[in-house]
């Protein structure tokens, strides 16, 4: 079971940039540090914030590596055991990591930026 990271970067007035790559680690670390498998550029994220561990049978365990919590399906926790069938959503500062089952038992990890409230209001104003 391996993790495939799919990262989407939004651009104003242009198509999104989509990057996809397999992660080398069987238990990828999420954090701000340059040694992390899933690196997030956000001061609200610890240098080594959490680790993702495959737990067999379509499950993933996510554990904080320090005192800082992370968001799992809307709740702030230190640890979570998640079913990929539920498409769990993890929050780390301004970033959202959505997990799902991929092909051949792979775990898909979709990384996007959390839309700020100000940006959401600006988008609504432009629609009017």
């Amino acid at each position: 079971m391996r993790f495939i990271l799919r990262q989407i970067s939004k651009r104003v007035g242009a198509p999104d940039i989509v990057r996809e790559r397999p992660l080398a680690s069987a238990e990828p670390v999420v954090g701000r540090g340059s040694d992390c498998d899933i690196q997030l550029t956000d001061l609200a994220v610890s240098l080594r914030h959490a680790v993702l561990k495959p737990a067999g049978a379509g499950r993933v365990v996510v554990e904080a590596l320090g005192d800082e919590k992370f968001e799992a399906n809307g709740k702030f926790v230190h640890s979570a055991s998640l079913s990929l069938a539920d498409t769990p959503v993890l929050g780390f500062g301004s970033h959202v990591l959505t997990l799902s089952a991929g092909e051949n038992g792979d775990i898909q990890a979709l990384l996007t930026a959390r839309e700020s409230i100000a940006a959401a209001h600006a988008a609504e104003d432009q629609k009017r």
Side-chain angles (χ1 to χ4, degrees), residues 1-3 53-61 81-88 100-102 104-107:
M1 197 180 286
R2 66 183 180 153
F3 285 86
K53 299 178 181 181
R59 298 196 67 79
V60 173
V61 171
S81 178
L82 306 165
S83 171
L84 295 174
D86 297 333
T87 316
S100 62
N104 303 319
D106 292 341
I107 299 169

Side-chain angles (χ1 to χ4, degrees), residues 25 27-31 36-39 47-52 65:
S25 176
E27 295 185 353
V29 173
V30 178
C36 292
D37 302 292
I38 301 174
Q39 190 175 11
L47 288 173
R48 294 177 55 82
H49 203 107
V51 62
L52 308 174
L65 293 174

Side-chain angles (χ1 to χ4, degrees), residues 49-126:
H49 203 107
V51 62
L52 308 174
K53 299 178 181 181
R59 298 196 67 79
V60 173
V61 171
V62 185
E63 295 178 344
L65 293 174
D67 294 333
E68 299 295 323
K69 295 180 180 182
F70 59 91
E71 189 177 351
N73 294 327
K75 296 179 182 176
F76 286 92
V77 297
H78 281 104
S79 180
S81 178
L82 306 165
S83 171
L84 295 174
D86 297 333
T87 316
V89 177
L90 305 171
F92 298 94
S94 63
H95 300 275
V96 175
L97 192 63
T98 305
L99 303 177
S100 62
E103 296 178 9
N104 303 319
D106 292 341
I107 299 169
Q108 291 280 343
L110 174 64
L111 181 62
T112 57
R114 199 184 302 251
E115 189 175 4
S116 71
I117 293 172
H121 287 301
E124 277 299 314
D125 288 343
Q126 286 181 352

